[in-house]
Amino acid sequence: MNDSHDAAPVSATPANSPTPTRPTGTPGSLDGLRVLDLATLFAGPLAATMLGDFGADVIKVEHPRKPDPSRGHGPAKDGVGLWWKLLGRNKRTLTLDLSTPGGRDVLLRLVAESDVVIENFRPGTLEKWDLGWDHLSAANPGLVLARVTGFGQFGPYARRPGFGTLAEAMSGFAAATGEPDGPPTLPPFGLADSIAALSTAFAVMTALHGREATGRGQIIDMAIIEPMLAVLGPQSLWYDQLGYVQPRTGNRSTNNAPRNTYRTADGKWLAVSTSAQSIAERVLRLVGRPEFIEEPWFATGAGRAQHADELDEAVGGWIAAHERDEVVAAFEKAEAAVAPVNDIRDVLADEQYRALGTITEVEDDELGTLRMQNVLFRLSETPGAIKWAGRRHGADSEAILTELGLSRGEIDGLREGGAS
C-alpha cells in the first residue's frame, strides 16, 4: 500500500499569511463528510475535488480495467498524467466494476456510510446496474445524489453524449465570443465543466443543509448547459424585452470603453477596464486626453462604447509608447484599473498570486514536488488543505474494503472475479 495519504496537508494559506493555517490532524470544514466520486471528465470529479480540499473524505471509484480518462488526458511526465494529479488530489482511490454483482454490493455498502454520491453516467446507466435512486436511497435515506450530465436527466437531448464544449456552444457563449468578423470562439480549456463543478459543489452543500431540516437526502440534477448559461448575464432578458442579441465584439464591450488589450513598447500586453465612470475619467487624464471627458457621450458607458475607436486610439497610443512596468506603475498611481495579460509563466511569478499563496507545492511519491493551484478560497478558522496529489489507480482499494469489514477472502474474491 502507498501511504502518501498520511502526509501533512499543504495549507490553503502561505506561512507568512495572517490567516490561520490548518495544522496536521486538525479537521477541515467538511471533516466527517464522505463523498463517493463515480464521475469522469471533468465537472463531477472537480466538484468532488473541491469538497475534498475542505476536509471531505472523497473516495474515487474507478473501473478496475478502465481508469478515469483524466489519468491519460493531456501532457504526462514519465508516463504519469499531470491533469490527474490535480483532479485526483485529496481522493482515495478504489477500483470497482459497478456492473458486476460484487461491485454493486460493495458500492451499496459504501453508500450506507456516505453522504454524497457524484456520478455522470448517461441517464439510465445506474438504473441498468440496479443502482438507481430507489436502491441508493434504500441503502441510505440521507444520501445526496449529484447527477452531472451534459443535458440533464430528461428532455429530448438527455441521452446524447454531452461535454462542456457542447455547453459552451449551446449556451450562447461561443456566439458572443470572438472578433466581430470572425467565427464563434470556444475556450481552449474546460470552462463549462469548471463552472458546472462549482455549481455542483454549491448544490451539494445546499442539499446537505436541506437534509439538516428534513433528515432526507435528495437528487441533484445538474445539466452542464445550465450553469454555463447562468454566468452569461442578462442575455435572455435583453432579448425578451428588447429583441437584442449580444454580438461578438472581440475584446471590446458594448457596455463601456475603453476596454481592450493594448501592447506596450516592450512587446507586452495589458488589459484595461473602465466599468466605472470615475475610472474612465482617470484613464483619459492619465493618457493626456482630458478633452474626451467633456464630450456628452463620455458620461455613460454605452456612450463611450460607441466611440471605442477614438478611445482605443488614445489609450493604445499612450500605452504603446511606454514599457509595461511603467504603464502599470502609472495606472496604479492614478488609481486606474490595469492588469498584465499573463501566461502561466507570468502567473507563477506574479507577486499578488505569491502573496495569496494561490500556487502551492505538493509532495508526490511519483513525481516529487508539484506546483499546482491551491484550494479555491481562504477560511479564517477552518481553512482547506491539499493532503496529497492524485494517487495511483486503486491505491487505497484494500484499505477501503477492509474498513468496510470485508475479509481477506472476500477481497481476494472480488479481485479474482474482476469486480475490484
Side-chain angles (χ1 to χ4, degrees):
M1 287 292 295
N2 180 317
D3 62 358
S4 66
H5 59 282
D6 293 324
V10 178
S11 170
T13 50
N16 60 352
S17 169
T19 303
T21 60
R22 190 205 302 178
T24 302
T26 302
S29 298
L30 302 182
D31 187 65
L33 189 74
R34 173 168 283 181
V35 178
L36 303 181
D37 175 9
L38 314 185
T40 59
L41 294 179
F42 284 98
L46 181 56
T49 301
M50 294 173 181
L51 299 173
D53 284 349
F54 287 91
D57 175 22
V58 179
I59 297 176
K60 175 69 178 182
V61 179
E62 299 175 82
H63 193 282
R65 294 165 295 283
K66 300 174 186 176
D68 189 308
S70 66
R71 291 182 179 273
H73 209 83
K77 180 181 178 182
D78 299 333
V80 178
L82 297 175
W83 204 328
W84 167 252
K85 287 298 178 184
L86 178 67
L87 194 63
R89 75 186 190 192
N90 289 338
K91 300 179 184 181
R92 297 195 287 163
T93 59
L94 167 68
T95 57
L96 284 180
D97 183 348
L98 302 181
S99 68
T100 65
R104 175 186 181 277
D105 290 346
V106 170
L107 184 74
L108 289 174
R109 291 176 68 169
L110 280 169
V111 164
E113 299 182 3
S114 299
D115 301 279
V116 181
V117 169
I118 300 176
E119 63 96 359
N120 69 339
F121 298 109
R122 199 174 299 190
T125 300
L126 283 183
E127 287 75 10
K128 179 178 65 176
W129 297 332
D130 288 331
L131 287 169
W133 177 243
D134 53 345
H135 292 92
L136 297 178
S137 60
N140 182 351
L143 182 73
V144 170
L145 173 62
R147 314 195 78 167
V148 186
T149 57
F151 306 107
Q153 295 296 309
F154 56 91
Y157 302 169
R159 295 188 63 81
R160 291 183 183 180
F163 297 99
T165 297
L166 308 187
E168 289 147 9
M170 281 185 60
S171 63
F173 171 85
T177 304
E179 294 299 324
D181 57 351
T185 302
L186 296 167
F189 59 95
L191 178 62
D193 278 300
S194 299
I195 293 172
L198 286 162
S199 303
T200 301
F202 169 64
V204 165
M205 299 311 299
T206 301
L208 290 172
H209 185 72
R211 188 178 69 177
E212 293 295 312
T214 67
R216 299 188 305 274
Q218 58 185 302
I219 302 170
I220 297 165
D221 181 5
M222 179 63 67
I224 296 175
I225 59 173
E226 291 184 304
M228 189 68 214
L229 180 60
V231 302
L232 292 179
Q235 287 193 19
S236 61
L237 279 170
W238 287 341
Y239 180 73
D240 175 60
Q241 296 296 306
L242 303 171
Y244 175 77
V245 178
Q246 183 171 336
R248 289 192 291 281
T249 57
N251 290 327
R252 287 179 173 177
S253 168
T254 57
N255 301 314
N256 66 83
R259 192 264 197 181
N260 213 325
T261 58
Y262 306 94
R263 196 169 189 177
T264 63
D266 52 346
K268 307 294 184 180
W269 289 91
L270 295 169
V272 172
S273 177
T274 58
S275 295
Q277 180 69 23
S278 59
I279 298 295
E281 293 175 6
R282 291 170 192 167
V283 169
L284 270 297
R285 290 192 184 98
L286 170 63
V287 303
R289 302 297 299 273
E291 68 274 13
F292 280 120
I293 301 172
E294 305 304 319
E295 296 287 345
W297 50 261
F298 196 88
T300 67
R304 297 197 306 273
Q306 293 175 4
H307 293 264
D309 287 342
E310 301 161 67
L311 295 172
D312 275 349
E313 182 180 358
V315 175
W318 185 87
I319 288 176
H322 300 80
E323 294 189 352
R324 183 183 68 176
D325 290 349
E326 184 182 0
V327 175
V328 171
F331 267 70
E332 185 173 357
K333 183 177 180 180
E335 298 184 354
V338 70
V341 177
N342 287 339
D343 64 20
I344 191 59
R345 294 167 295 187
D346 302 315
V347 169
L348 293 177
D350 188 283
E351 60 183 0
Q352 182 62 28
Y353 281 127
R354 284 185 171 180
L356 294 174
T358 307
I359 302 296
T360 192
E361 293 185 348
V362 180
E363 293 302 319
D364 181 68
D365 68 329
E366 291 184 281
L367 298 177
T369 302
L370 306 174
R371 285 190 292 177
M372 65 174 66
Q373 298 97 315
N374 211 330
V375 303
L376 192 58
F377 48 85
R378 288 163 293 281
L379 295 177
S380 62
E381 300 300 325
T382 54
I386 302 171
K387 294 174 284 187
W388 60 82
R391 290 164 54 67
R392 290 183 174 91
H393 183 228
D396 304 289
S397 292
E398 186 162 330
I400 294 168
L401 295 173
T402 301
E403 288 173 10
L404 275 178
L406 273 70
S407 67
R408 174 79 269 155
E410 289 174 310
I411 294 172
D412 291 343
L414 288 170
R415 288 176 174 166
E416 291 167 5
S420 179

